[in-house]
Amino acid sequence: MISRPRRLRTTPAMRSMVKETGFTAGNLVLPMFVREGLEAPEPIGSMPGVYQHTLESLKVAAREAVNAGVGGIMLFGVPAHHDAVGSAGVDPEGILNVGLKALRDEIGDEAVIIADLCLDEFTDHGHCGVLAEDGTVDNDATLEIYREMAVIQAKSGAHMLGLSGMMDGQVAACREALDEADFAHVSILAYSAKYASAYYGPFREAVDSQLKGDRRTYQMDVANRTEGLREALLDIEEGADVVMVKPAGSYLDVLADIAEASTVPVAAYQVSGEYAMIEAAAERGWLDRDRTVMESVSAIARAGATIICTYWATELARKVNHG
């Protein structure tokens, strides 16, 4: 495998997003949701101010974020139909891939377009991979689908793929598939230390999750610290261009460990539950909202994150750039 550090220098937006010193608007990534069949943006009840978008409202909100200075858009797709193998995820006309094309048409290279590469939004059982006959997630069969998804997402316009499924070997599989399909310039963000966290609750609503059971056989145990570093180092060895810790706020120790050891940029995802808790407490007057938001994100940067995925990205970018 050829090491290609130039993948993180491809555009001004990419260079800004991975800048190693300081917390700037360019380091912020905005997660967004596009849903098939909507006629108007749909508010997500547990995440005030966050929406499931139509293709048109997606472009409007993305343009707003980019104009504010946000460095990246991370896109999740919500299909109308689910099945056992998540076939909507590999359909070039599936909602996520169509959404990626719409983003690329709207913002081009002005921000880094990151595709969520996982099956959980698309399967009728809600797991991040296909199931074996005994009901467990089949790691290696899932990798074959991930390889196909990687190429389709690259063709659809993604600059970077966010591998969130926590399958063993997913980075190597997707890197090989991209390189074989002449997408050596498309980078990989690996969800390396992704914990089986209770903080994902509101996200389940956002993506219309069909989950039955839990994901503890592939997402990490919340009590484990050293394992997070091990996972990140494995992903770097397999060719990850960026590694990520998720959630962010309750795992700053893991984030700091990885940031100290990593030879690639480190991202952290301030997840739906972290967002919802602050918004709910602020609504009740229990917290100073603006100060708490800024403090929470500053702590993530302080712990070592180069890239910060947060639902407040547009708001924070405006404050950082314009005060």
Side-chain angles (χ1 to χ4, degrees), residues 163-244:
L163 277 54
S164 62
M166 288 296 289
M167 296 295 115
D168 293 340
Q170 62 183 12
V171 173
C174 290
R175 182 73 272 156
E176 182 181 59
L178 289 169
D179 291 352
E180 289 176 353
D182 294 327
F183 288 109
H185 61 284
V186 174
S187 53
I188 288 177
L189 183 161
Y191 286 56
S192 299
K194 182 178 180 181
Y195 286 83
S197 171
Y199 287 97
Y200 302 147
F203 184 88
R204 305 276 194 260
E205 176 188 354
V207 297
D208 187 26
S209 175
Q210 308 295 303
L211 182 63
K212 301 172 179 66
D214 60 52
R215 298 177 175 142
R216 296 184 186 185
T217 64
Y218 46 101
Q219 293 179 357
M220 289 176 51
D221 191 312
V222 301
N224 291 1
R225 177 174 178 171
T226 304
E227 186 183 12
L229 177 58
R230 180 191 181 202
E231 288 275 12
L233 294 176
L234 284 171
D235 285 344
I236 293 170
E237 185 179 342
E238 289 183 20
D241 299 287
V242 180
V243 292
M244 187 156 73

Side-chain angles (χ1 to χ4, degrees), residues 29-42:
V29 170
L30 176 66
M32 300 185 73
F33 306 95
V34 61
R35 180 163 189 163
E36 186 175 7
L38 286 184
E39 296 183 358
E42 183 73 26

Side-chain angles (χ1 to χ4, degrees), residues 41-186:
E42 183 73 26
I44 300 170
S46 55
M47 300 174 68
V50 181
Y51 295 84
Q52 293 175 333
H53 284 285
T54 67
L55 289 171
E56 287 306 311
S57 69
L58 174 73
K59 293 191 289 185
V60 171
R63 169 53 57 193
E64 180 184 7
V66 171
N67 287 350
V70 168
I73 304 291
M74 179 179 286
L75 189 62
F76 298 87
V78 186
H81 302 287
H82 305 79
D83 60 31
V85 297
S87 57
V90 296
D91 180 356
E93 298 305 314
I95 186 60
L96 176 56
N97 298 315
V98 172
L100 291 170
K101 294 172 189 173
L103 283 180
R104 194 63 182 264
D105 288 343
E106 176 63 32
I107 64 175
D109 293 333
E110 293 179 67
V112 180
I113 300 170
I114 307 170
D116 178 60
L117 197 159
C118 194
L119 287 177
D120 62 320
E121 295 106 298
F122 305 107
T123 55
D124 56 13
H125 45 74
H127 280 288
C128 298
V130 293
L131 302 184
E133 290 186 7
D134 63 1
T136 62
V137 174
D138 188 327
N139 191 98
D140 294 356
T142 298
L143 294 185
E144 292 305 310
I145 300 176
Y146 283 5
R147 287 172 58 92
E148 187 177 357
M149 290 181 77
V151 174
I152 290 170
Q153 291 179 352
K155 288 180 178 178
S156 298
H159 298 101
M160 179 179 281
L161 309 184
L163 277 54
S164 62
M166 288 296 289
M167 296 295 115
D168 293 340
Q170 62 183 12
V171 173
C174 290
R175 182 73 272 156
E176 182 181 59
L178 289 169
D179 291 352
E180 289 176 353
D182 294 327
F183 288 109
H185 61 284
V186 174

